[in-house]
Amino acid sequence: MRVGILGCGGMGKVHARHYKSMPDVSLLIYDISSEKIEELLKTNPATVADSAEELIKKSDVVDICLPTFLHYEFAKQSLETQKPTLCEKPLCRTVHECLSLIEIAEKKKTPLMPAQVVRFFPEFRRAHDLIQSGAIGKPAAIRTRRGGKFPTSAATWMANPELSGGIMLDLMIHDFDWIRWTFGEIETVFAEALTFTNPKNTDYALATLSLKSGAIAHVEGTWADPAGFRVTFSIAGSKGLIEHDSSNTNTLRVSAEGVNLPQSPLHTQDDPYFLQLKTFLNAVKSNTKPPVAPGDGLSAVAIAQAAIKSATTGYPQKPYQP
């Protein structure tokens, strides 16, 4: 199977690394930046396409790892040529774009999956399963926290909320999606954020979600933590509590030539990014539905868009629901 990766930046390199360990996959790549292409090729064997159009034409599956504001344009091209499409989160910049993309996918009967990878992280999947099984009774209070330093490698577009949606759409969407998947639909969103105050290479937001189940979720996102990336969650239910803090998780640490880096102790095939990509390809091969539906991507964007509107108006908002 030939997989075409559009976008050779950070996430494109992550996806390429995992495709490399799949013996039945060959890679075709394209990026407008020759430097990013060369960087990816240093560690990942791939053929370079001359254009995005050529990549889409010659691929069996298209994997879109472009900046958020380009998702709709290129996912649309891919789906219109009936190429199964994996699109990095957020599915699109706006709810309107998501709806259009889903309509095209349905019309062309072509698989489309938003890459909401947190669903594949072992801690989040295990917590999801425990909650669904009733292990802590009826959930009442949910707290999540995600973030670290500002992603300066993508600062040219990430710092512009019109292009990126800011921290609520780019980062907190992981938790919005997981909360909806685990606890059910969200009725209202109230948020406050630095996003629209023109901060330089920093951002912070706090959103409160009122769920239809009666539970309340507090979702914190930060690009202002000099200590580095950290993820936490706690869920209090009528019969117990579930907690996770990534800073307390045991990891491998590799030191060489002055570099000291933590590395995941997971086997390659247990890595959440590998699992996400492999399950999508398996769904394509078996002609079954992808594990994350296009509507899930739409709903996550809708929650983020409601949070953005709340932060700019000062009033609670109801997320769009199809």
Side-chain angles (χ1 to χ4, degrees):
M1 177 180 286
R2 171 171 273 192
V3 175
I5 299 179
L6 272 178
C8 298
M11 195 51 63
K13 288 193 290 186
V14 170
H15 286 200
R17 173 164 54 87
H18 289 293
Y19 286 128
K20 183 173 66 174
S21 62
M22 302 179 194
D24 57 339
V25 170
S26 63
L27 283 184
L28 185 63
I29 62 172
Y30 178 73
D31 196 294
I32 60 171
S33 168
S34 59
E35 291 180 0
K36 289 182 180 178
I37 290 174
E38 290 172 5
E39 188 65 27
L40 187 149
L41 289 173
K42 288 180 181 178
T43 53
N44 301 282
T47 302
V48 181
D50 292 329
S51 66
E53 290 72 23
E54 182 191 37
L55 180 140
I56 291 170
K57 181 180 179 180
K58 292 185 176 180
S59 298
D60 299 310
V61 170
V62 175
D63 183 341
I64 295 174
C65 295
L66 296 164
T68 297
F69 64 95
L70 297 174
H71 286 185
Y72 176 73
E73 175 186 352
F74 290 98
K76 180 174 181 287
Q77 289 184 35
S78 178
L79 292 169
E80 285 179 337
T81 56
Q82 294 186 299
K83 297 300 174 73
T85 304
L86 178 75
C87 186
E88 256 306 321
K89 60 80 205 163
L91 180 59
C92 292
R93 174 64 183 81
T94 67
V95 165
H96 176 75
E97 289 178 342
C98 289
L99 287 168
S100 176
L101 214 56
I102 291 171
E103 183 180 359
I104 295 167
E106 291 176 348
K107 181 180 178 181
K108 295 293 184 177
K109 297 180 180 179
T110 302
L112 168 65
M113 177 172 142
Q116 296 288 170
V117 73
V118 161
R119 294 186 183 208
F120 296 87
F121 273 75
E123 301 87 357
F124 282 86
R125 180 168 287 276
R126 179 61 175 155
H128 169 87
D129 291 344
L130 287 169
I131 291 157
Q132 292 291 303
S133 72
I136 62 167
K138 183 178 180 180
I142 305 133
R143 294 182 181 275
T144 68
R145 187 266 191 198
R146 180 178 303 274
K149 298 178 181 179
F150 185 83
T152 53
S153 60
T156 52
W157 64 274
M158 192 71 76
N160 183 345
E162 293 301 316
L163 299 179
S164 68
I167 197 168
M168 289 176 281
L169 184 67
D170 184 78
L171 186 68
M172 293 164 67
I173 195 169
H174 283 300
D175 300 296
F176 295 152
D177 174 69
W178 182 76
I179 288 168
R180 176 182 168 272
W181 177 52
T182 304
F183 303 96
E185 299 296 340
I186 283 73
E187 282 197 325
T188 60
V189 182
F190 179 75
E192 293 185 295
L194 293 178
T195 308
F196 308 100
T197 61
N198 297 316
K200 184 176 181 180
N201 290 353
T202 190
D203 204 350
Y204 178 87
L206 180 64
T208 300
L209 315 181
S210 299
L211 281 69
K212 286 187 177 180
S213 67
I216 298 293
H218 299 281
V219 183
E220 180 184 10
T222 181
W223 280 334
D225 187 347
F229 196 76
R230 180 182 173 215
V231 175
T232 68
F233 64 70
S234 66
I235 303 102
S238 58
K239 295 181 180 178
L241 178 72
I242 300 174
E243 294 181 290
H244 167 64
D245 186 335
S246 64
S247 66
N248 294 333
T249 302
N250 292 327
T251 62
L252 299 177
R253 184 167 292 275
V254 178
S255 300
E257 298 181 359
V259 177
N260 192 302
L261 295 173
Q263 295 187 6
S264 172
L266 294 173
H267 185 277
T268 299
Q269 295 188 6
D270 294 325
D271 185 285
Y273 289 96
F274 178 93
L275 291 173
Q276 173 184 248
L277 301 177
K278 191 64 176 177
T279 53
F280 178 67
L281 295 186
N282 286 343
V284 172
K285 291 176 185 177
S286 62
N287 196 29
T288 56
K289 291 183 179 181
V292 186
D296 294 327
L298 162 65
S299 294
V301 171
I303 298 166
Q305 195 164 300
I308 290 168
K309 188 172 182 180
S310 175
T312 54
T313 64
Y315 294 98
Q317 301 293 323
K318 289 184 175 292
Y320 169 86
Q321 293 185 2

